Amino acid sequence: MDYQDFLSKSTAKVSNMSQEEMQTALLNLLRMTMPENREKVLQMLDPAQDSFQKDVTDYANWFKEMAKKKYHFLREEDDYYDYDDEWDFSDSDDYQDIYQMGEMLRKIFDLAEQLIYTSHYREAAELYARCCTFSYRLHDEVTGEESELSFDDVMSELMEEVECKKIAMNLLYTAIQMSSSTEHLEELYRYYSFDMCYSITLEEIISTGPKPIERLEQFLAEWIQFLSKVEGSLADRLLMDAIAHSPALADERALHQLARETANLHPTVYLKYIEQLVGEKEWQKVLTIGVEALEAIPRANKVRSTIARKLIKIAERLNNSAVSYEARLAAYYSDPQLVNLFPVITEPLQEEDRLALLEFTQTDETVEERQQLLFFLQQFGQVYELEQQERQKVEIGWNSYSTGEIVPLYLLLLRKGPFSKAATQVIASRLSMDLVCFEDYFEEWKTSVTLPEEEQEIYLNWCQLEVEKVTDVLIDSKYRKYYMQMAALIVLLGEAMEGSGILNACQELIQAYRQQHKQKRNFIQELAVFADE
């Protein structure tokens, strides 16, 4: 039973009790109070409204005294571990709590919780603010350096995870109850940035707080207005959470208006609105709002790409080729990845758009896998030249640059026939894309490629040299985890050689590697998996 349900049913029962029945029930509850909570309960029963003021003042004075200290935590030499004459700092975050701050903070958090339960939110908020903004300092005896610890560091060091969760809930609950100004909203947002608060949702706070949130709808309206002007993933996540709880934004028109207003900073509002329309099967409206969103959201935003991909499916459902065409381009421009390029290049493309797409891929800063994308735009000569330049910087080691992806692509292009087991293994290990999807798109794309024989020879010779370099190094160095990849790559090379007209090249290449590395039984076993296909 959640808190609000419990409170509602308890209130109903109490309202029907006589004074004598209430007294008996209260005494029974007091008898059930755990020893560590008895003092807290007595304080809550104290009718004096200012019974806590002395404690609040004492804690304020304690913070003032602590602020005068040069540092509060100490890291000694024993906290470091020396392995092979090298310092290991990975387990060195155990600090000496010189002034027993952990014990004092627990008392402060306990008092703050009592103040929450008696609706003294302002006083509780002041206590939390002191704890969160205090400058906790660490002295390192090994290096002699002093540094400041974040509130997250202090909490993770001094408190158990369960304690942190409870404190975080109370902290956010108090901040929401106090959120009557922009200043308080900024403070609430800062609290949410703490690690211990990051994952807590409004639903948790609303359902577990000791009393309902005062003026909840007004808070949500002000909170949404505040978050809509704050940039970043944290603000975006909190905004989505607030929208989900806002009765005002259950109105479709209000949500649409908010999407328009926040398209630049929070395009996820548009995405939420579109998903809502999809759920309602308002297909034509999805197209209208989707096109509007693509125009409103900045191009270099991946949420725009997500909306575009949804739009492609709906446009195809409604046989709207114009919207589908524009959505395909938009998906790629907003998130230039191979998975977004394939749907563009496997359909007829206007020459103007083809040239613009090529220029974007060659020059735009948002493009990360440039050589890979240029390869599928059939810029084989440019990709080859870029790989030669890369090779001058790195002698060996495919994981550090793009050759490990580009060489297999050239080999796939040069080989004939459907995907073999070796081809599938190489692609699965090098590309972060659904394998079945890749194979289907690749075969379709390959039908549009015409590669002169002289270029085929250049690329095949280069690929053969690269494969020999990387396989010899990895096999001779006994990097067994790469044996399967190397075996598949060798067979793929043989298939490409045969595809270029060299008869029996695959079996001869396999036999040569078997002979060269005959003492590497594990490698020979992996090679046999693909050789015997």
Side-chain angles (χ1 to χ4, degrees), residues 110-140:
D110 281 345
L111 175 59
E113 185 175 24
Q114 294 173 38
L115 292 172
I116 291 171
Y117 276 83
T118 54
S119 300
H120 291 91
Y121 302 124
R122 184 175 303 280
E123 292 80 3
E126 289 176 2
L127 287 175
Y128 283 125
R130 290 185 187 278
C131 295
C132 295
T133 60
F134 186 76
S135 178
Y136 301 94
R137 292 186 292 277
L138 168 70
H139 175 73
D140 193 318

Side-chain angles (χ1 to χ4, degrees), residues 41-101:
V41 171
L42 285 174
Q43 290 177 355
M44 291 174 65
L45 294 173
D46 191 338
Q49 292 297 310
D50 60 351
S51 61
F52 55 83
Q53 288 296 349
K54 181 179 183 304
D55 286 337
V56 171
T57 302
D58 288 345
Y59 290 139
N61 292 332
W62 177 78
F63 274 114
K64 290 178 182 178
E65 287 300 314
M66 288 297 103
K68 297 176 184 178
K69 307 297 182 182
K70 191 174 182 181
Y71 50 83
H72 312 98
F73 299 93
L74 183 66
R75 180 158 55 193
E76 298 178 307
E77 186 171 354
D78 290 342
D79 292 328
Y80 292 90
Y81 300 89
D82 184 11
Y83 297 108
D84 299 327
D85 297 325
E86 293 185 5
W87 289 112
D88 176 20
F89 298 94
S90 61
D91 295 318
S92 60
D93 290 338
D94 294 325
Y95 314 130
Q96 270 196 28
D97 182 3
I98 303 173
Y99 301 105
Q100 288 75 51
M101 296 193 79

Side-chain angles (χ1 to χ4, degrees), residues 102-320:
E103 181 181 342
M104 186 62 75
L105 287 174
R106 279 190 176 86
K107 292 180 180 179
I108 294 172
F109 290 135
D110 281 345
L111 175 59
E113 185 175 24
Q114 294 173 38
L115 292 172
I116 291 171
Y117 276 83
T118 54
S119 300
H120 291 91
Y121 302 124
R122 184 175 303 280
E123 292 80 3
E126 289 176 2
L127 287 175
Y128 283 125
R130 290 185 187 278
C131 295
C132 295
T133 60
F134 186 76
S135 178
Y136 301 94
R137 292 186 292 277
L138 168 70
H139 175 73
D140 193 318
E141 284 199 335
V142 175
T143 64
E145 296 177 351
E146 292 183 7
S147 58
E148 187 166 324
L149 296 173
S150 69
F151 182 64
D152 277 322
D153 290 334
V154 173
M155 292 300 293
S156 62
E157 178 68 24
L158 299 180
M159 305 288 172
E160 298 294 332
E161 185 175 346
V162 174
E163 289 181 292
C164 286
K165 174 79 171 183
K166 182 180 179 182
I167 292 165
M169 294 281 287
N170 287 336
L171 171 65
L172 295 174
Y173 174 82
T174 305
I176 290 174
Q177 291 284 30
M178 289 293 296
S179 57
S180 57
S181 66
T182 301
E183 182 182 351
H184 286 132
L185 292 174
E186 289 174 350
E187 189 173 68
L188 173 61
Y189 182 76
R190 182 166 60 84
Y191 291 159
Y192 262 115
S193 69
F194 294 152
D195 289 343
M196 68 178 190
C197 297
Y198 188 84
S199 62
I200 296 176
T201 64
L202 278 172
E203 181 63 33
E204 290 180 278
I205 299 169
I206 292 170
S207 62
T208 62
K211 291 184 179 180
I213 301 295
E214 297 175 3
R215 56 183 203 88
L216 178 59
E217 288 191 29
Q218 183 180 346
F219 159 71
L220 287 170
E222 293 170 354
W223 184 226
I224 288 169
Q225 185 66 21
F226 171 82
L227 293 171
S228 67
K229 298 175 182 178
V230 180
E231 189 174 4
S233 59
L234 174 60
D236 200 59
R237 182 179 64 81
L238 295 175
L239 179 60
M240 292 301 101
D241 190 25
I243 288 172
H245 290 85
S246 172
L249 291 176
D251 182 347
E252 182 184 307
R253 290 171 298 180
L255 183 59
H256 187 190
Q257 181 59 34
L258 181 64
R260 288 171 171 165
E261 294 172 357
T262 59
N264 189 47
L265 291 182
H266 300 290
T268 46
V269 181
Y270 255 122
L271 178 58
K272 180 178 179 62
Y273 181 34
I274 290 170
E275 287 175 342
Q276 180 176 308
L277 293 174
V278 170
E280 296 168 354
K281 298 184 179 181
E282 295 275 359
W283 306 124
Q284 193 57 52
K285 198 163 189 177
V286 171
L287 283 192
T288 303
I289 301 301
V291 170
E292 177 188 302
L294 296 185
E295 293 174 354
I297 299 170
R299 186 174 79 168
N301 190 295
K302 291 185 179 181
V303 174
R304 182 174 182 266
S305 181
T306 302
I307 292 173
R309 289 196 296 271
K310 290 181 178 296
L311 206 55
I312 293 169
K313 294 179 181 179
I314 305 302
E316 290 176 348
R317 177 193 290 264
L318 299 178
N319 295 317
N320 192 322

